[in-house]
Amino acid sequence: MLTYNLQLLFRQRAIKNPVSFLMKAGFNRQTALRIKNNKFKALKLSQVEKLCIALYCTPNDLIQYIPNPQKPISNHPLTNLVHKEQSEHLANFLDDIPIEKLSGFTQQIKQLKTQLLNT
C-alpha cells in the first residue's frame, strides 16, 4: 500500500506548526489543515510539487510503500519506497550539550553538511 508520510517529514524538518508552514508555502488554510491531519483523498501534482519545494525533497520522500505481508514482492522498484528506520531528530541531541560547547557542535554540523552536499 502506498501512503503519504508527511507527518514524519514535518518532524524531521522540525516544523512545529505544519498548518502555518503550509500556508506560507502557498496552500490555503483548509487544504493545509487536511494535509496536516492526513485527511485528503488525493493531491494534485502541482500540490506535490509545492510540497517538495517547501520541504526540499522529492516525491519519493513524500510517499512510502508498506508491503502487504500476504503478498510480498521482492526485487521490485516499489521496495525503494519502504522507509527504513528513521534517525533521531537533530534537536534531540542538543538537550544535554553544555551551552559552552554548542558553537563547536554547530561548526561540526556545518562541516558535515558541506561534506554531504559536495559528495
Side-chain angles (χ1 to χ4, degrees):
M1 170 175 62
L2 289 173
T3 64
Y4 285 98
N5 65 332
L6 296 168
Q7 284 66 31
L8 173 65
L9 288 170
F10 293 144
R11 281 193 310 273
Q12 288 177 330
R13 294 285 187 200
I15 298 169
K16 295 192 185 323
N17 187 339
V19 173
S20 175
F21 173 83
L22 292 167
M23 290 175 62
K24 287 177 188 172
F27 292 93
N28 66 46
R29 182 168 178 75
Q30 187 65 25
T31 302
L33 282 166
R34 275 187 265 152
I35 290 171
K36 180 220 175 247
N37 295 319
N38 207 23
K39 299 287 185 192
F40 55 91
K41 293 181 182 176
L43 291 174
K44 297 177 191 174
L45 286 177
S46 61
Q47 292 171 316
V48 169
E49 179 181 14
K50 209 182 282 189
L51 281 169
C52 288
I53 290 168
L55 292 166
Y56 200 77
C57 67
T58 70
N60 282 0
D61 298 319
L62 299 177
I63 299 169
Q64 73 177 10
Y65 175 65
I66 302 171
N68 181 341
Q70 283 79 34
K71 297 180 182 179
I73 59 173
S74 59
N75 297 325
H76 191 280
L78 274 176
T79 59
N80 293 329
L81 294 176
V82 174
H83 286 263
K84 315 297 186 270
E85 186 175 321
Q86 296 297 319
S87 60
E88 194 172 352
H89 189 274
L90 184 59
N92 295 337
F93 290 102
L94 301 175
D95 292 341
D96 56 354
I97 295 178
I99 295 293
E100 66 273 5
K101 295 192 177 189
L102 278 177
S103 64
F105 182 80
T106 303
Q107 278 305 113
Q108 290 179 334
I109 294 294
K110 286 179 183 178
Q111 289 171 355
L112 181 59
K113 178 182 175 183
T114 300
Q115 289 172 1
L116 290 172
L117 293 176
N118 290 331
T119 58

